[in-house]
Amino acid sequence: MGSNMIPATKLVIGCLTILTAATLGNHAAADRWSQFRGDQMDGIARTQHPQRWSETDNVRWSVEVPGEGWSCPVVWGNQVFLTAAVPVTESASTGPEKYSGGGGSRRDDLTGVTYRWQVICLDATTGKEIWRQTAREGRPTMGRHSSNTYATETPATDGRHVYAYFGMTGLYCFDMAGNKVWEKDLGSYPMRAGWGTSSSPVLFDDKLFLQVDNEQQSFLVAIDAQTGDEVWRVDRQEKSQYSSPILWSNSRRDELIVGGMHYRSYDPQTGTLLWELDMEKGRSSATPLAVGDRLYVGTEYRNRGGADDGGGFLFAIKPGGSGDITPPAGRSQTEHVAWKIERSGIQMASPAYCNGNLYLLERRSGVIHCVDTETGSTVYRSRVPRARAFWSSPWTDSDRVYCVDTSGATYVLASGDELNVLGTNEIDEMTWSTPAIADAAVYFRTASKLYCIATP
């Protein structure tokens, strides 16, 4: 594994990644991070940013963010957008708690608390608030897990509008000046164990795609981004899931990839089911990752005595599949499945790609799994010293991997065939939000602040 030779498959995947970025044109601009995990939904930073920071070092600005929210910031040009749920009436339970990530099922019944669900726009250069609009004021329709928030879904923007989805509270569209353009009520349905929602919308080809999986009436819906009208809707045979869909633009076609105990691919224009893959149960919390002509999907291993016990598998998918592409028993490769591995380590954080390897972060133990994308073999499995739980999804640049734990510490790893921690950047506050990276800056959200990390 220590050879400097680049396997042919990795070279092809790398070239396809470059080709995809080139064909997207303006969507790969360095001053944008337009939705969860970036324009291309892959967590790859295409602009250089500082490798070192703290609460004071390499901080261009920091601002207080009232209320609660694990949604990620998004960036377009000189505007940074984020969402928050701000309690108007007092409650001892409002706001995410200091939570270690050790599990548990504590639920907060906050249906008697009045909130303002807000969209906030900041100046990317100064951090100054440009506008703040309340999408809705009222009481939540359901409780949530003590570690969750009522603003966990990441907004999206196309440079004309910003789209804020607050789960069962609704979908809202504002123009770039803060004027509400339309709103959409998609209904309110019970979630598993009262844990709340977290699946973020995906924006593609003037449509918003939302995965509304729940305990009562799961569905996938496409919304016209300009008007808020429903374009199509398909029912889903899934219960509550927490991952976000992605758009996989491969050499054959565009595919909308949606997680669950069965992973499914849909035609983004019509909602037609293209293929499905039996994940052998588990929980879909991590968002899938597409790199060129490879798609990586997995579910978290569960062993709690529930109906979803199982999973933990990670699959590498090739384009062009149709129907049921599940490998037969005893096989891990087929025409459309490049490989399958068990106990992969995929859990809450989404996987990251860097230099031919995948990086998967365990939730509680601070363990990182490094997997060869060509073969599916484990390059290493190592614990990051001192690391706490990983809930935030990692991001990568040309040769480094950045992993944020729940304490706000970011571990900078060198890509390669063994664990090599280059440094640790500490911001001492609970952090579950995944940073945005644009125009040589990292926008880093904690429980109470937003930091702009950039070279002075």
Side-chain angles (χ1 to χ4, degrees):
M1 300 302 293
S3 171
N4 291 325
M5 297 292 291
I6 301 176
T9 303
K10 291 188 180 182
L11 183 61
V12 169
I13 291 175
C15 291
L16 283 168
T17 304
I18 295 170
L19 178 61
T20 300
T23 57
L24 284 172
N26 288 337
H27 291 285
D31 60 349
R32 299 180 193 171
W33 191 272
S34 61
Q35 55 192 336
F36 180 58
R37 306 205 79 201
D39 280 15
Q40 297 176 50
M41 299 158 281
D42 57 11
I44 298 176
R46 292 169 172 85
T47 176
Q48 293 299 314
H49 60 73
Q51 295 180 46
R52 306 287 188 189
W53 62 82
S54 68
E55 294 178 14
T56 55
D57 296 333
N58 277 333
V59 174
R60 179 181 292 167
W61 51 259
S62 65
V63 296
E64 296 283 341
V65 180
E68 60 181 64
W70 288 135
S71 59
C72 309
V74 296
V75 184
W76 191 281
N78 200 45
Q79 291 176 285
V80 181
F81 302 96
L82 66 160
T83 59
V86 183
V88 178
T89 56
E90 294 296 326
S91 169
S93 299
T94 55
E97 296 181 348
K98 193 72 175 177
Y99 184 71
S100 66
S105 58
R106 175 178 166 181
R107 298 175 296 276
D108 286 338
D109 183 1
L110 301 172
T111 54
V113 177
T114 299
Y115 279 83
R116 292 191 181 109
W117 282 268
Q118 295 189 329
V119 182
I120 305 161
C121 176
L122 304 176
D123 185 294
T125 303
T126 65
K128 180 180 178 181
E129 185 174 301
I130 300 174
W131 53 261
R132 176 191 300 263
Q133 295 291 356
T134 297
R136 178 179 179 269
E137 181 172 334
R139 295 178 178 179
T141 60
M142 64 179 66
R144 58 159 173 74
H145 193 281
S146 58
S147 62
N148 202 355
T149 74
Y150 285 123
T152 295
E153 296 82 3
T154 296
T157 180
D158 55 12
R160 293 172 292 178
H161 302 101
V162 57
Y163 308 94
Y165 178 52
F166 294 101
M168 302 304 178
T169 305
L171 174 65
Y172 303 87
C173 171
F174 294 85
D175 67 21
M176 302 299 270
N179 302 301
K180 186 184 288 187
V181 179
W182 53 259
E183 61 183 83
K184 185 81 170 178
D185 184 357
L186 294 171
S188 180
Y189 307 95
M191 294 294 291
R192 176 178 178 172
W195 289 344
T197 61
S198 67
S199 182
S200 299
V202 169
L203 181 60
F204 176 76
D205 195 23
D206 285 331
K207 299 181 187 66
L208 286 160
F209 301 98
L210 297 102
Q211 175 183 356
V212 190
D213 288 347
N214 55 78
E215 297 301 292
Q216 179 179 327
Q217 186 180 329
S218 296
F219 60 92
L220 177 69
V221 63
I223 303 293
D224 186 296
Q226 303 309 308
T227 65
D229 296 333
E230 193 169 299
V231 179
W232 54 256
R233 177 188 294 224
V234 293
D235 291 335
R236 283 172 48 78
Q237 301 303 310
E238 295 282 350
K239 295 296 186 181
S240 301
Q241 302 293 340
Y242 307 94
S243 56
S244 301
I246 68 165
L247 209 295
W248 181 26
S249 293
N250 55 59
S251 61
R252 302 283 294 273
R253 62 195 177 192
D254 294 326
E255 302 183 39
L256 181 64
I257 307 300
V258 185
M261 287 197 286
H262 283 73
Y263 254 86
R264 296 178 175 88
S265 167
Y266 300 86
D267 183 331
Q269 300 302 322
T270 64
T272 301
L273 181 66
L274 301 175
W275 55 259
E276 63 180 306
L277 172 68
D278 187 348
M279 303 301 293
E280 300 180 42
K281 300 187 177 182
R283 185 166 67 190
S284 182
S285 298
T287 293
L289 173 67
V291 182
D293 264 7
R294 286 292 182 273
L295 171 71
Y296 305 99
V297 302
T299 56
E300 178 183 1
Y301 175 72
R302 300 287 290 172
N303 185 21
R304 300 291 185 87
D308 60 353
D309 274 7
F313 296 98
L314 181 71
F315 292 81
I317 310 300
K318 297 181 284 186
S322 63
D324 187 350
I325 65 168
T326 306
R331 292 183 57 188
S332 60
Q333 294 180 324
T334 65
E335 179 184 1
H336 297 294
V337 176
W339 47 257
K340 167 190 176 184
I341 58 176
E342 60 181 338
R343 297 297 179 95
S344 64
I346 192 169
Q347 294 188 357
M348 305 297 288
S350 304
Y353 171 88
C354 191
N355 290 335
N357 289 330
L358 290 180
Y359 295 84
L360 305 143
L361 281 58
E362 289 190 17
R363 177 174 22 159
R364 300 183 181 90
S365 60
V367 169
I368 293 182
H369 297 243
C370 179
V371 175
D372 185 297
T373 57
E374 179 190 3
T375 64
S377 60
T378 298
V379 179
Y380 67 79
R381 177 185 180 275
S382 300
R383 188 182 189 282
V384 179
R386 298 177 55 239
R388 299 185 67 183
F390 289 119
W391 291 72
S392 171
S393 294
W395 77 94
T396 65
D397 58 19
S398 56
D399 55 9
R400 289 171 292 269
V401 185
Y402 300 82
C403 309
V404 183
D405 76 6
T406 54
S407 72
T410 303
Y411 297 88
V412 184
L413 314 181
S415 66
D417 294 344
E418 61 183 13
L419 179 66
N420 179 9
V421 181
L422 300 174
T424 304
N425 304 322
E426 296 189 11
I427 294 179
D428 187 19
E429 189 175 11
M430 183 170 57
T431 304
W432 284 16
S433 178
T434 299
I437 299 91
D439 202 19
V442 178
Y443 298 90
F444 191 102
R445 183 177 190 173
T446 68
S448 69
K449 290 183 178 180
L450 179 68
Y451 291 82
C452 176
I453 297 164
T455 303

